[in-house]
Amino acid sequence: MTSRPKAFHAAPMSGSAIVIFGAAVRSDGQPSPTLARRIDYGLQAAALWPEAPILCSGAAGRIGPSEASVMARILAARGVSEARLVLDEASRDTLQSVVAAARFARARGGVHCVICSDRYHQPRIRLLLGALGVATAPGPLTPGRGGTSVRHWARMRLREGVAIPYDLVLVLAKRRSLLAEMAAEAG
């Protein structure tokens, strides 16, 4: 990493859970630059919220191990207690990760989720979790584009422009049934 993330929060909030959203894993099992950045954000959040459980979310892609297992391996190697780590290895996209994060939060009494992902990705995540009744805050972030190229940043912003309304329609259409399922699981 070229620069260290800066936290948005002066003091940790009680009742928080950290959620790290996945990205690609390379064929050698190493994180892509995007996943490495998100893991670094998660490490910073773990230091700010030392008691918070951490949900590592992301299934295996076409190659390599699951995104969640790569996150957990690196977090543990960098001193995060494995007891704090919960792996969601089933979620294949942002929407599935959001639903898993909402389930994770509700199973813990509706805790506040600290979102660890890229700046361009956070608005969609936070909007979808909000639609599912989960309070969120952005986790630590690197200023600006987070060290990404202008081309990558522009491509991701365009993708998010399409994905936000698409995923929001899906969440709102399934909201009642998802909330009922989560209530049954938590109760």
Side-chain angles (χ1 to χ4, degrees):
M1 298 288 122
T2 55
S3 63
R4 300 297 294 169
K6 294 185 180 178
F8 279 6
H9 311 290
M13 292 171 275
S14 63
S16 294
I18 298 164
V19 181
I20 307 173
F21 282 74
V25 172
R26 294 183 170 171
S27 60
D28 64 358
Q30 295 303 307
S32 65
T34 301
L35 184 57
R37 212 171 30 253
R38 293 176 184 183
I39 293 167
D40 198 34
Y41 298 153
L43 283 165
Q44 295 299 309
L48 286 169
W49 292 272
E51 301 301 318
I54 303 168
L55 178 67
C56 301
S57 186
R62 291 172 289 189
I63 53 175
S66 74
E67 298 161 9
S69 68
V70 170
M71 287 180 220
R73 174 178 48 86
I74 293 170
L75 291 167
R78 293 192 186 165
V80 176
S81 168
E82 291 183 28
R84 294 177 65 189
L85 305 176
V86 177
L87 277 61
D88 161 31
E89 296 181 284
S91 295
R92 298 195 159 289
D93 59 26
T94 298
L95 183 55
Q96 290 177 0
S97 289
V98 162
V99 171
R103 283 190 159 101
F104 181 70
R106 288 182 174 272
R108 284 155 184 76
V111 298
H112 178 270
C113 286
V114 176
I115 305 305
C116 295
S117 190
D118 290 292
R119 189 178 306 275
Y120 58 78
H121 198 210
Q122 288 214 11
R124 175 165 48 133
I125 295 166
R126 295 184 69 203
L127 178 68
L128 297 174
L129 280 167
L132 294 173
V134 177
T136 64
L141 289 167
T142 302
R145 295 188 319 269
T148 64
S149 69
V150 171
R151 181 177 177 207
H152 175 78
W153 183 261
R155 191 172 73 240
M156 293 298 102
R157 293 290 301 244
L158 286 171
R159 182 191 74 181
E160 292 299 309
V162 173
I164 288 171
Y166 179 82
D167 282 353
L168 184 59
V169 166
L170 290 176
V171 163
L172 292 176
K174 297 177 181 179
R175 184 173 187 265
R176 227 176 245 164
S177 64
L178 286 169
L179 291 175
E181 287 174 20
M182 288 181 222
E185 290 167 2

